[in-house]
Amino acid sequence: MLQRRKTSVVNIGTTPMGGEHPIRIQSMTNTSTLDTEGSIQQVVRIIEAGGELVRLTAQGIREAENLQAIRDGLHALGYHTPLVADIHFNPKAAEAAAQIVEKVRINPGNFADPVKTFKTFEYTEEEYQQEIDKIKERFIPFLNTCKEHRTAIRIGVNHGSLSDRIMSRYGDTPQGMVESCMEFLRICVTEHFPHVVISIKASNTFTMVQTVRLLVEQMDQEDMHFPLHLGVTEAGDGEDGRIKSAVGIGTLLLEGIGDTIRVSLSEDPEAEIPVARALVEHTTRRRQNAPAAGIAKIASCQPASAYSATPIVISDRSQTADTSVDENLMPDYLYTKESSFKPLSLNDINEEALIDIRKYPETMLLLFSEDNNVYEQKACIAALRQAEITNRIVLWNTYDETDLATFQIKAATDCGSFFLDRWADGLMLSNANQQHPPQAIDACSFGILQATGRRISKTEYISCPSCGRTLFDLQTVIKKVKAATSHLKGLKIAIMGCIVNGPGEMADADYGYVGAGIGKVSLYKGKQCVLKNIPEATAVDELMKIIANSQ
């Protein structure tokens, strides 16, 4: 079995996290934290769906103080699941919340640094240290409050809200995200405060995975073992949200990284829980079947594929007479009953086979493993690369799922890292259960390649999961924006409920739709706000005008 990364144990109220404890599943409410009854009802729905921690936003001191009424109401109903306060921009609200709930999440990008402006500043070493000292002045009193009330904290770095100070020194890089986190962790260590959980998130799965790996490496160098919270921010909804979350979170869980997860879907919060549970259960089973020899071979291989062109998609039609395709998601090849592919597995890698393969360098190799054993498949690729075989490698995974969402989650988890890290050059997915049309299976293949950034086949949406800061009906707005823009292949459009991550995530999107006030929206082109505080009723039409004028 591939063991989870060893971490320290942090108690969130009566719920221990890290160490040998189960991977905890959590979600976040999207009600106003001033709406006591509405928040209680939604927390109950999350708990009954299986949530082990529930987060609520606290924009200000009033919201933070009202967490007491919500907590009391839940206790009166017999619910004692730990609550987490989500804080941005307001250290005083963090201190107030720390006296009430079991855990407080703070964002290093806006806890002490000024509001993000996207301006670049030059700092001498002395000036930069002075900025770190300002962080200490605000952060240490908060830690003291947490010590007094036995409150845990989460240091939650978001790619979309890195401070101008960090951006000026490190740029928009994984290194900058890691350093934003480490600045606060070092203070925690110096102040002897061990009750810390860390998250470091991005809406881009490649950035998220690479940054978490880099953070783990940096913490190991500094002998830190804090538990990790995993998530892909603004994953979206429906199939795209599930696939994107599974690619990012699943890749790391398969590596043994992660102690708690939150799947950030633009749907009702309780809908996130089954997806998270499926991810944890699937990756736990996968790690139990990790062959030691395979892990050693993987570790000795440089994964980057010798073939770097756009990955291909093969559609498995061997069990059906249906050869029709979706014109918008058209496979490169159809695998039919008459096809004569012979799948390749780890047991087939011997000198005789290698001699034959070398004779045909243009032949694609179809890689297969019983039960889609990720570690065995990578060991096979490692063996081929070490033998200097440069043929294109197509990953062939087979499933038998009655539920399409479960198929999507498992396939995206198993296949994601092959394309994030360029282990493979193509993908073919099969599902023995024929109640799902082959076009739906093809869509999952294209979805995985899109989520990993390897092949863009449709409009990409970055949409936040909604919370108490959201200033409009997010799910309705997403449907409107998608209906108007789904034909714009290759564009990246962000739909954000508020300004916390909005402008930052605009930097990774071509256009943005951001809540600016009750019934008001601001529209962005990249980082630039083009229209500010316009009526929500006309916002989609105005967005389409901006896009049309930019083409």
Side-chain angles (χ1 to χ4, degrees), residues 9-17 21 24 52-53 71 75 80-84 98 100-104 146 149-153 195 197:
V9 176
V10 174
N11 291 311
I12 318 297
T14 58
T15 301
M17 179 185 296
H21 295 285
R24 303 299 183 184
E52 297 171 276
L53 294 92
R71 190 170 186 261
H75 287 187
H80 297 274
T81 298
L83 300 182
V84 184
I100 298 169
V101 297
E102 289 83 357
K103 182 180 172 187
V104 176
C146 291
H149 294 272
R150 298 184 177 180
T151 306
I153 70 171
H195 314 297
V197 180

Side-chain angles (χ1 to χ4, degrees), residues 492-508:
K492 191 178 291 187
I493 298 174
I495 308 161
M496 311 296 291
C498 73
I499 63 168
V500 169
N501 291 320
E505 296 299 348
M506 296 307 101
D508 196 39

Side-chain angles (χ1 to χ4, degrees), residues 216-336:
V216 168
E217 181 181 323
Q218 185 64 41
M219 284 200 296
D220 287 346
Q221 290 177 8
E222 300 190 31
D223 196 26
M224 296 181 185
H225 308 281
F226 299 107
L228 279 163
H229 168 131
L230 303 181
V232 177
T233 56
E234 296 93 32
D237 62 351
E239 176 183 14
D240 291 341
R242 282 157 179 76
I243 289 175
K244 198 171 187 180
S245 296
V247 164
I249 299 171
T251 291
L252 292 166
L253 290 178
L254 287 174
E255 295 175 8
I257 296 172
D259 301 279
T260 180
I261 68 171
R262 189 260 172 119
V263 174
S264 300
L265 300 177
S266 302
E267 301 176 19
D268 294 336
E270 58 267 31
E272 298 177 348
I273 302 300
V275 181
R277 185 187 299 112
L279 271 170
V280 170
E281 291 176 352
H282 182 62
T283 53
T284 300
R285 285 195 299 270
R286 280 278 179 266
R287 287 190 296 104
Q288 289 171 343
N289 296 323
I295 297 298
K297 193 171 285 292
I298 292 167
S300 68
C301 178
Q302 293 293 325
S305 173
Y307 186 80
S308 59
T310 302
I312 65 168
V313 171
I314 300 177
S315 178
D316 184 5
R317 305 299 175 92
S318 61
Q319 302 300 315
T320 177
D322 183 0
T323 58
S324 62
V325 295
D326 183 337
E327 291 184 0
N328 296 315
L329 299 173
M330 186 174 295
D332 301 285
Y333 302 93
L334 298 185
Y335 177 59
T336 66

Side-chain angles (χ1 to χ4, degrees), residues 244-530:
K244 198 171 187 180
S245 296
V247 164
I249 299 171
T251 291
L252 292 166
L253 290 178
L254 287 174
E255 295 175 8
I257 296 172
D259 301 279
T260 180
I261 68 171
R262 189 260 172 119
V263 174
S264 300
L265 300 177
S266 302
E267 301 176 19
D268 294 336
E270 58 267 31
E272 298 177 348
I273 302 300
V275 181
R277 185 187 299 112
L279 271 170
V280 170
E281 291 176 352
H282 182 62
T283 53
T284 300
R285 285 195 299 270
R286 280 278 179 266
R287 287 190 296 104
Q288 289 171 343
N289 296 323
I295 297 298
K297 193 171 285 292
I298 292 167
S300 68
C301 178
Q302 293 293 325
S305 173
Y307 186 80
S308 59
T310 302
I312 65 168
V313 171
I314 300 177
S315 178
D316 184 5
R317 305 299 175 92
S318 61
Q319 302 300 315
T320 177
D322 183 0
T323 58
S324 62
V325 295
D326 183 337
E327 291 184 0
N328 296 315
L329 299 173
M330 186 174 295
D332 301 285
Y333 302 93
L334 298 185
Y335 177 59
T336 66
K337 296 176 183 178
E338 291 74 30
S339 299
S340 58
F341 291 147
K342 180 182 182 297
L344 183 73
S345 66
L346 184 58
N347 293 332
D348 298 320
I349 305 299
N350 53 48
E351 192 54 40
E352 183 179 352
L354 293 175
I355 291 172
D356 287 341
I357 292 172
R358 287 192 182 99
K359 292 178 182 177
Y360 306 101
E362 300 303 316
T363 299
M364 290 184 292
L365 304 181
L366 195 60
L367 183 64
F368 178 82
S369 167
E370 291 291 341
D371 194 35
N372 310 313
N373 191 311
V374 174
Y375 311 100
E376 184 178 283
Q377 289 169 316
K378 286 187 177 178
C380 182
I381 295 173
L384 290 168
R385 294 309 182 212
Q386 287 169 355
E388 299 183 347
I389 299 296
T390 59
N391 299 58
R392 288 184 290 174
I393 296 172
V394 177
L395 189 67
W396 181 15
N397 278 16
T398 63
Y399 302 86
D400 187 5
E401 300 296 335
T402 58
D403 179 65
L404 184 58
T406 302
F407 169 82
Q408 294 161 351
I409 293 165
K410 288 185 176 182
T413 298
D414 295 338
C415 302
S417 66
F418 285 86
F419 298 98
L420 286 174
D421 295 329
R422 294 179 180 266
W423 284 86
D425 309 300
L427 179 60
M428 181 166 81
L429 296 177
S430 303
N431 193 50
N433 190 290
Q434 295 298 302
Q435 73 182 65
H436 308 305
Q439 294 82 2
I441 307 304
D442 296 345
C444 185
S445 294
F446 282 102
I448 291 168
L449 296 180
Q450 175 120 356
T452 57
R454 293 294 311 280
R455 180 169 180 170
I456 305 304
S457 53
K458 54 188 175 182
T459 314
E460 183 165 348
Y461 299 95
I462 301 172
S463 61
C464 71
S466 183
C467 68
R469 298 185 299 270
T470 301
L471 300 168
F472 49 74
D473 183 339
L474 188 70
Q475 294 182 45
T476 299
V477 168
I478 290 172
K479 289 178 182 177
K480 288 181 180 178
V481 173
K482 282 188 172 183
T485 61
S486 60
H487 62 290
L488 301 172
K489 175 182 174 180
L491 282 188
K492 191 178 291 187
I493 298 174
I495 308 161
M496 311 296 291
C498 73
I499 63 168
V500 169
N501 291 320
E505 296 299 348
M506 296 307 101
D508 196 39
D510 299 299
Y511 300 94
Y513 182 115
V514 183
I518 302 300
K520 299 292 183 182
V521 171
S522 292
L523 300 178
Y524 286 74
K525 180 181 178 183
K527 297 179 183 179
Q528 182 183 0
C529 183
V530 179

